[in-house]
Amino acid sequence: MKQIPIAELTPGMVTAEDILTNNQNTLIPKGVVLTENIISRLEGYSIYYANIEDDLKNDLLQGLSAPMAANQNISATDSLGVDLDNKSNKEKIRDSKQFQHFSQDFERCAEHYQNNLMKSLYRNEPFRANELLKETMSLLYQDENEISVFDMLLNMHNIKDSVYAHCIDVALISNVLARWLHFSEADQLMATACGLFHDIGKFMLPGGILRKPGKLTPDEFEIIKTHTTEGYHLLGKYHTIPEAVKNTALMHHEKCDGSGYPYGLTSEEIDRFSKIVTIADIFDAMTSERIYHTAMCPFAVIKYFEDDGIQKYDMKYILTFLENVSNSYLNHRVTLSNGMEGNVIFINPANYSRPVIHTENNEIIDLQQNYYHSILQLSNRKNISIETII
């Protein structure tokens, strides 16, 4: 292993250790074969050195960036440390004891949430918000080890569709985003609470509208929009609920450019915890299976945020979220729109939804470069995108 300046890297070299950002996020995993595109993007992260495998291994892996002949095939395990022929990442997660524990605890937490809220609403019993928050926080750790929230939720999303499950999802994602933003521990806890109770107003709406499988009529959508004010007034009945939690129930559909509801507030008028929950809410809703839509691939949702106009969100919050959530899917196996499969090996900092893919055929496909080529008609290749994470 040798430490080599970025300026001296050449295509075909293999990373001996993970290359990390200044925030200690994995930028390029260990065992990745460098290409010109990957090397050129390292400079954008102000990274100056990389630990590279010795020359012998480099010689064995030269030419990996181009398709190999059948008699020269090297398995993906040799180059990336991931065997594309065996179980996918999702299958491994679902088979793990950690996921089994998480899913059982998650279902128990959702059941307790439902029972406690219903008893509070219809039997006038105390609303044990602190107990629900403590139980939700316990989902973030398994055997004292921090879990990968996005890996767990990616596998949970097709299991159960309920407002309770959605609120727990958003609470967990809000906690993670607050940590990425370097909020204090107290504020991380507050962000979790805001996510946990952000949609509580939906329990005051007609069930038929909430569970309607088709498109809502304009009148029905106006009713749905009242869940923000309903939630604010409902939480207002409980004197122990912090103002930030009440405000998030009211403001989580507001947008920084004034295009949201119920009041069309702008950035400086929106509570900072609500800004976090807004991002978490949209991401979870779009990546989850619903009675009225199928779950979207996380990279498709990242593209939605990029296309929707980041001025609608707090700039620091949305850019921090997109960078970190896309990096959380490094090394994940994906299917592409051209039918191929591969692993995510590099996140493009200028376009998070279009990473670099190492395919099962030992090709390196830069989806950003491919996109530009398709737009400018500089090649016959069609625009390729990620379809699913598998």
Side-chain angles (χ1 to χ4, degrees):
M1 181 177 73
K2 295 182 290 188
Q3 190 177 72
I4 297 179
I6 297 301
E8 297 179 14
L9 295 178
T10 59
M13 289 182 172
V14 181
T15 55
E17 294 181 350
D18 293 349
I19 299 178
L20 306 177
T21 65
N22 292 330
N23 294 328
Q24 299 303 302
N25 294 315
T26 300
L27 183 61
I28 301 177
K30 174 183 176 181
V32 169
V33 180
L34 298 179
T35 66
E36 290 183 3
N37 290 326
I38 293 176
I39 294 169
S40 67
R41 286 172 174 77
L42 285 173
E43 297 177 357
Y45 281 90
S46 298
I47 294 171
Y48 305 105
Y49 295 92
N51 290 316
I52 299 298
E53 293 286 3
D54 58 33
D55 293 338
L56 177 60
K57 189 167 184 180
N58 289 339
D59 291 340
L60 291 173
L61 292 170
Q62 285 291 336
L64 183 60
S65 60
M68 290 187 174
N71 62 352
Q72 294 178 309
N73 185 49
I74 296 176
S75 72
T77 302
D78 295 326
S79 61
L80 290 178
V82 178
D83 191 344
L84 295 178
D85 297 326
N86 290 331
K87 287 184 178 180
S88 68
N89 192 60
K90 287 184 71 173
E91 290 172 328
K92 291 177 181 178
I93 291 171
R94 288 208 139 192
D95 289 343
S96 70
K97 290 183 179 179
Q98 188 182 37
F99 177 75
Q100 298 303 321
H101 292 159
F102 177 85
S103 60
Q104 291 170 6
D105 292 345
F106 187 101
E107 293 293 341
R108 188 181 303 114
C109 185
E111 183 179 350
H112 290 169
Y113 192 159
Q114 180 177 7
N115 291 340
N116 186 244
L117 181 59
M118 291 301 102
K119 288 178 181 179
S120 176
L121 290 177
Y122 301 114
R123 298 183 187 176
N124 203 31
E125 294 185 13
F127 183 48
R128 306 185 186 281
N130 285 335
E131 292 180 15
L132 294 173
L133 178 59
K134 183 178 180 180
E135 190 172 8
T136 300
M137 288 294 295
S138 70
L139 292 171
L140 291 166
Y141 298 90
Q142 297 276 331
D143 300 324
E144 299 184 353
N145 293 318
E146 185 178 342
I147 67 164
S148 174
V149 167
F150 292 96
D151 278 342
M152 294 297 167
L153 295 186
L154 186 64
N155 287 276
M156 289 290 295
H157 280 159
N158 294 326
I159 294 178
K160 187 173 183 180
D161 170 21
S162 75
V163 178
Y164 304 101
H166 171 63
C167 285
I168 296 171
D169 288 353
V170 173
L172 299 178
I173 297 171
S174 297
N175 178 280
V176 174
L177 178 51
R179 273 184 280 153
W180 287 341
L181 291 165
H182 305 295
F183 278 25
S184 68
E185 289 189 9
D187 283 347
Q188 291 172 26
L189 184 64
M190 183 63 72
T192 312
C194 289
L196 187 59
F197 303 117
H198 79 286
D199 257 353
I200 200 167
K202 286 187 175 178
F203 300 107
M204 310 303 292
L205 305 184
I209 294 179
L210 284 176
R211 293 186 291 271
K212 183 178 178 180
K215 185 178 180 179
L216 296 174
T217 66
D219 288 342
E220 290 170 335
F221 184 61
E222 289 301 316
I223 294 174
I224 288 290
K225 287 164 66 174
T226 65
H227 80 277
T228 54
T229 52
E230 291 285 356
Y232 180 79
H233 293 310
L234 175 59
L235 292 173
K237 297 179 181 179
Y238 306 108
H239 301 298
T240 59
I241 300 294
E243 284 301 313
V245 176
K246 299 174 188 177
N247 287 336
T248 298
L250 180 67
M251 300 179 184
H252 66 277
H253 283 286
E254 299 285 3
K255 299 292 174 61
C256 291
D257 65 352
S259 63
Y261 67 84
Y263 301 123
L265 303 179
T266 54
S267 181
E268 63 275 7
E269 301 170 298
I270 302 172
D271 186 280
R272 63 184 178 132
F273 294 105
S274 184
K275 293 176 179 179
I276 287 177
V277 171
T278 296
I279 295 169
D281 180 31
I282 294 172
F283 184 83
D284 182 70
M286 296 182 76
T287 55
S288 301
E289 198 78 23
R290 291 285 184 266
I291 191 172
Y292 48 85
H293 73 71
T294 58
M296 291 175 62
C297 171
F299 281 100
V301 181
I302 292 170
K303 184 178 185 300
Y304 166 83
F305 277 117
E306 292 173 335
D307 293 345
D308 191 41
I310 57 177
Q311 71 273 11
K312 292 185 178 181
Y313 311 94
D314 185 286
M315 189 72 71
K316 179 181 178 181
Y317 292 6
I318 190 62
L319 291 180
T320 298
F321 178 77
L322 293 180
E323 177 184 0
N324 284 277
V325 76
S326 56
N327 274 296
S328 74
Y329 296 115
L330 273 170
N331 279 329
H332 281 53
R333 186 175 171 186
V334 298
T335 60
L336 302 177
S337 55
N338 63 357
M340 300 179 72
E341 292 184 7
N343 280 67
V344 178
I345 63 171
F346 183 80
I347 300 299
N348 281 311
N351 199 329
Y352 298 116
S353 63
R354 299 184 182 279
V356 178
I357 308 296
H358 177 263
T359 75
E360 56 194 341
N361 296 331
N362 282 326
E363 291 183 74
I364 301 295
I365 300 179
D366 184 338
L367 296 184
Q368 178 178 338
Q369 187 179 66
N370 171 270
Y371 174 71
Y372 290 150
H373 282 181
S374 66
I375 292 294
L376 299 173
Q377 297 181 344
L378 297 177
S379 75
N380 293 325
R381 290 182 298 177
K382 294 182 179 179
N383 179 28
I384 302 173
S385 59
I386 295 176
E387 292 286 316
T388 57
I389 295 177
I390 57 177

